[in-house]
Amino acid sequence: MNRLPVVLPKINRRSALAGAGLLLAAPAIVRAQGANGIALVIGNSKYQWEAQLGNVKRDAPDIAKAFQAKGLKTELLQDVNRDTFVQAISKFKAAASTANLAAFYYAGHGASWDKDTYLVPVDADLSTPDTVRTLLPAADVLGAMKAARNRLLVFDNCRNNPSDGWRRLASQRDAVSFSASFGASEKAQTEPNSIIIYSTAPGRVALDGPSGQNSPFAASLLSHLSISSVDMATLATKLRRSLLIATEGQQVVWDSNTYSTNFLLQGSNTRNVTGGSSGSQGDASRIVELPNAYAFARKNGLPLPEGLIAYRTTGNSENTQKIGSYEFMIQTPRGPSPFLVILLTIDEQRVAQLIAVTQNDEGRFWRFITGELRDNRLTFQPNYGRPHFMLDWKNTNSGSVGQMLLETRGGGAPPIRSARFERLDG
């Protein structure tokens, strides 16, 4: 998880590396004891050339304790250089070949390059693009776990660019231009019975949380691992909800789940291992459930991951009333095309976090993007190089709340398309 420039607030840490699992048939129950279940936990916090990540020193040991409590034979490594990293993955691969369940958790700096994700050893210097050759591809970890019968991978790291800015713009463009939640190399090695969880969306920075506590993502994961029986098939869905609440709509879990049945990991209750709170309950008065958004997505065949909620923060009451979901139809040469916008939150600077769900020539997709609210107009760009969208509210309390404008790039051109949009939830 590499930071953006060190001038960022200290709470910013990890940007991440989408789909929910199906719930079918009777659950498989795994009591992964000894060699039958293994885990490798790596936490890199003390970097030689990059920003230090203080909370990783708490997160990695706590996750390791949680895995041990579930009966997994767990190895914890902290502040590893490249050689040690490579050796650890090689050793893990050998052990995974006979494991019923192999689990991997990484917290530290990360980077994106050509749509693939890389993990950063503590001795890496991210000052030049050539550094990518010294990093560890996330795909190598997936490959190492291939022979295990079941796989859980958690990447608590960034997919933004290194701190001096090389390839940063390219990474941001990739993050909004492509719907894949992870790179081509990673996708090619994904096996059945695998759950891959990324702590936040592509191109995003995750939150570190207060000093001396677990990060919001690690705290949420620990909370869900603490129960005696963990259903891996629904873990990402539960994490997505609790993390959205804990970060007040600022951070969205992405995942890839190839399970077709429930998969239960049983072990002792581990609530005492975490030093932080996931905040998964939140303030119920601020949580906006999204049943109509999900109904609209199902009706129109749009992908929407389970576990999403919107969250009203304190501040301008008129803006907080805009939180929720909206639908409209875009007229295209091929006919009407459904579009769903979920306005997750608006902060005091009127920066909005939102989910855009639609389709184009590449297929149907959902993306976590940032918009800007000025007066009663929300402007956002679902795709890099594509037109900007603008939502103009006429009456925030009515069912038909305004019009959507589609503007050509450049900002000065008049709208080329408009449509009425309606509130679904909120």
Side-chain angles (χ1 to χ4, degrees):
M1 68 196 77
N2 65 299
R3 291 178 185 265
L4 287 171
V6 294
V7 296
L8 283 180
K10 291 183 179 180
I11 62 169
N12 289 338
R13 178 172 67 174
R14 314 165 193 166
S15 292
L17 300 177
L22 301 175
L23 308 180
L24 303 174
I29 298 177
V30 175
R31 296 178 178 88
Q33 302 294 330
N36 195 36
I38 62 169
L40 174 61
V41 176
I42 295 179
N44 282 349
S45 62
K46 192 175 181 180
Y47 282 84
Q48 296 179 21
W49 307 102
E50 303 303 321
Q52 307 299 297
L53 302 173
N55 285 0
V56 170
K57 292 184 292 185
R58 176 182 293 271
D59 294 345
D62 283 353
I63 295 294
K65 292 176 185 176
F67 283 154
Q68 287 175 329
K70 289 292 181 285
L72 303 180
K73 185 177 181 181
T74 303
E75 181 174 13
L76 169 65
L77 298 175
Q78 296 180 274
D79 298 329
V80 298
N81 59 27
R82 188 180 191 282
D83 289 343
T84 304
F85 214 137
V86 171
Q87 292 169 8
I89 297 302
S90 178
K91 179 181 176 182
F92 189 52
K93 180 178 181 179
S97 64
T98 58
N100 185 34
L101 171 66
F104 176 82
Y105 172 87
Y106 170 78
H109 282 306
S112 288
W113 182 264
D114 289 337
K115 304 176 197 173
D116 285 327
T117 301
Y118 295 85
L119 314 181
V120 181
V122 295
D123 56 348
D125 180 0
L126 300 179
S127 61
T128 69
D130 291 339
T131 302
V132 71
R133 301 190 185 97
T134 70
L135 307 183
L136 274 296
D140 285 3
V141 181
L142 287 167
M145 301 170 70
K146 187 174 183 178
R149 289 187 288 278
N150 298 278
R151 287 155 292 274
L152 168 65
L153 299 94
V154 182
F155 296 102
D156 192 1
N157 61 271
C158 341
R159 300 184 74 194
N160 60 326
N161 293 83
S163 57
D164 73 336
W166 63 262
R167 295 280 295 186
R168 183 185 310 154
L169 180 59
S171 178
Q172 292 171 349
R173 290 174 176 176
D174 285 349
V176 298
S177 297
F178 297 92
S179 59
S181 60
F182 48 100
S185 300
E186 299 157 51
K187 186 186 299 183
Q189 296 195 46
T190 304
E191 296 288 323
N193 301 331
S194 299
I195 302 170
I196 308 172
I197 298 174
Y198 313 98
S199 63
T200 193
R204 291 292 184 131
V205 176
L207 303 175
D208 237 357
S211 177
Q213 297 186 21
N214 294 117
S215 71
F217 174 79
S220 293
L221 178 59
L222 285 163
S223 177
H224 291 294
L225 289 178
S226 70
I227 62 176
S228 59
S229 182
V230 181
D231 185 358
M232 293 299 183
T234 62
L235 177 60
T237 295
K238 296 174 181 177
L239 273 173
R240 189 155 28 243
R241 179 185 176 88
S242 63
L243 189 62
L244 277 167
I245 294 171
T247 62
E248 299 188 344
Q250 297 288 328
Q251 191 170 334
V252 177
V253 166
W254 286 51
D255 74 284
S256 173
N257 189 341
T258 60
Y259 274 93
S260 58
T261 62
N262 299 76
F263 177 78
L264 300 184
L265 175 61
Q266 293 189 333
S268 62
N269 187 299
T270 57
R271 291 190 185 279
N272 62 327
V273 303
T274 176
S277 171
S278 68
S280 58
Q281 299 303 313
D283 183 345
S285 67
R286 297 185 184 183
I287 297 171
V288 178
E289 304 289 352
L290 304 167
N292 295 321
Y294 280 102
F296 178 83
R298 289 192 296 269
K299 177 181 177 181
N300 292 281
L302 296 176
L304 192 62
E306 296 294 331
L308 291 174
I309 56 96
Y311 197 88
R312 292 191 174 99
T313 58
T314 57
N316 186 296
S317 59
E318 181 180 346
N319 288 337
T320 61
Q321 291 306 309
K322 295 181 174 69
I323 301 301
S325 65
Y326 302 87
E327 60 89 9
F328 49 89
M329 302 296 291
I330 303 174
Q331 296 300 321
T332 71
R334 297 181 180 179
S337 178
F339 201 116
L340 173 64
V341 171
I342 299 175
L343 187 50
L344 297 173
T345 192
I346 302 172
D347 66 19
E348 294 180 356
Q349 287 72 44
R350 297 192 174 188
V351 175
Q353 308 298 333
L354 59 137
I355 301 287
V357 193
T358 187
Q359 61 186 13
N360 58 20
D361 293 339
E362 300 173 7
R364 301 183 178 195
F365 59 88
W366 70 277
R367 295 186 178 122
F368 180 38
I369 55 180
T370 297
E372 182 179 44
L373 184 67
R374 289 293 178 264
D375 297 321
N376 267 342
R377 171 173 286 187
L378 173 67
T379 303
F380 62 95
Q381 189 177 15
N383 301 59
Y384 175 76
R386 302 286 180 91
H388 288 77
F389 284 77
M390 295 172 291
L391 300 187
D392 280 345
W393 278 269
K394 302 303 181 184
N395 180 351
T396 58
N397 295 317
S398 68
S400 176
V401 296
Q403 65 175 334
M404 181 279 297
L405 307 175
L406 181 61
E407 186 182 56
T408 55
R409 280 183 56 78
I416 59 174
R417 197 178 302 160
S418 66
R420 187 181 71 173
F421 67 87
E422 295 186 357
R423 180 189 294 271
L424 292 172
D425 303 290

